[in-house]
Amino acid sequence: GESVGLHLPTLSVQEGDNSIINCAYSNSASDYFIWYKQESGKGPQFIIDIRSNMDKRQGQRVTVLLNKTVKHLSLQIAATQPGDSAVYFCAEKNTDKLIFGTGTRLQVFP
Amino acid sequence: DAGVIQSPRHEVTEMGQEVTLRCKPISGHNSLFWYRQTMMRGLELLIYFNNNVPIDDSGMPEDRFSAKMPNASFSTLKIQPSEPRDSAVYFCASSLSGTANTEAFFGQGTRLTVV
C-alpha cells in the first residue's frame, strides 16, 4: 500500500508579520516545556523554555505562553523573518523524559 | 564546548548488517536521549539514560535495537540485524536533569539508509 507521511500543519506568514504556533501537550504532570526549531538537515535547536510555575516567558522576538488548564502551549514570533522558516516543535518534560509533538512548518514569504 | 557529537553523519548499509551509531554528550550533562526521526512518525524517543543508567527504553522498537552508555561521555545505539524500515535520521541529545533542569541539546544526527 501507499505510505503516508505525517501531515505537518503549515503556517504561512508574510515577512514582518507576527506568527503564532500552537501546541497541545499530553501529560498534565509535565513540569517543563521547550520550543525547538529544526531547519532542513539539522538537529532541533532550542528557542525558549518555560516552567510549569509560569504562564508567560519572553525572549528576543519570541514569547511562550503556557495554559496548564487546557494543556496548551503557544510560541509567538514577532516580526517574522525569512530565517524563521523551519519546523517548530514543542516538547514536554516529565521526570527527565523529553517528549516531542508532531511539529508545525512555518513558511515565511516576502 | 563542541556540543553533542554524533558519528557517523551518514551511514549506508545492506539489510542484515549490524549498524552502530555513536554519541558524545556535552560534558557535565547527566541525561542522554536517543531519538529517531522519520516522515511517518516524526521525532520518537527511543531510550534515555540518567547518570549512565537506562531509565526508559519503552520506545525501542524491537529487540534488534540496543543502546549502551558505558561512561558519562559516550553512548552507542546498535541495530542488529538492520532492515530497510530502520532507515531514518537518528539524533542523540543531552541535558542536565534534576533540580537544575535544562533543555536538551541535539547533535547533528546520523542519517541511516538500509538498502
Side-chain angles (χ1 to χ4, degrees):
Chain A
E2 183 179 338
S3 64
V4 179
L6 274 179
H7 176 65
L8 279 186
T10 298
L11 176 65
S12 296
V13 299
Q14 191 164 25
E15 182 177 356
D17 285 354
N18 297 334
S19 303
I20 300 176
I21 300 172
N22 296 304
C23 172
Y25 64 92
S26 58
N27 191 338
S28 57
S30 294
D31 56 6
Y32 180 55
F33 304 88
I34 311 165
W35 278 100
Y36 283 89
K37 172 186 181 183
Q38 187 177 24
E39 296 174 286
S40 181
K42 297 184 179 180
Q45 293 178 286
F46 170 84
I47 303 173
I48 191 168
D49 59 1
I50 189 167
R51 302 188 191 281
S52 59
N53 61 352
M54 303 170 69
D55 53 21
K56 181 179 180 179
R57 189 155 189 239
Q58 287 185 291
Q60 189 176 22
R61 282 202 309 120
V62 293
T63 301
V64 56
L65 299 178
L66 173 63
N67 185 331
K68 293 184 289 293
T69 303
V70 294
K71 293 190 288 186
H72 183 268
L73 271 171
S74 68
L75 177 70
Q76 300 176 2
I77 304 174
T80 313
Q81 301 168 1
D84 295 327
S85 295
V87 177
Y88 289 80
F89 294 93
C90 68
E92 58 182 305
K93 207 174 192 189
N94 176 29
T95 59
D96 303 333
K97 189 171 180 176
L98 186 63
I99 301 296
F100 281 75
T102 53
T104 296
R105 185 179 303 281
L106 177 64
Q107 294 179 333
V108 183
F109 57 93
Chain B
D1 198 317
V4 176
I5 299 173
Q6 291 187 247
S7 65
R9 288 294 309 276
H10 302 273
E11 176 82 31
V12 181
T13 191
E14 289 185 345
M15 183 173 65
Q17 296 298 305
E18 177 181 297
V19 175
T20 299
L21 311 182
R22 296 172 175 80
C23 175
K24 182 181 187 313
I26 291 173
S27 176
H29 281 184
N30 60 352
S31 286
L32 184 141
F33 307 83
W34 281 102
Y35 290 89
R36 177 173 68 177
Q37 188 172 37
T38 61
M39 288 293 293
M40 291 288 290
R41 297 175 181 270
L43 260 172
E44 299 174 277
L45 176 64
L46 301 178
I47 185 171
Y48 80 96
F49 296 82
N50 207 27
N51 295 319
N52 312 339
V53 176
I55 302 301
D56 187 336
D57 65 354
S58 58
M60 296 285 261
E62 45 196 277
D63 292 346
R64 296 184 298 107
F65 285 68
S66 62
K68 293 182 180 178
M69 192 164 186
N71 57 62
S73 59
F74 184 65
S75 177
T76 59
L77 177 68
K78 186 177 293 187
I79 309 172
Q80 165 64 17
S82 58
E83 296 182 3
R85 61 192 167 121
D86 301 331
S87 298
V89 181
Y90 291 81
F91 287 104
C92 175
S94 71
S95 75
L96 189 60
S97 294
T99 54
N101 224 349
T102 70
E103 71 273 24
F105 294 81
F106 280 75
Q108 293 283 60
T110 296
R111 181 174 294 277
L112 173 65
T113 304
V114 183
V115 297

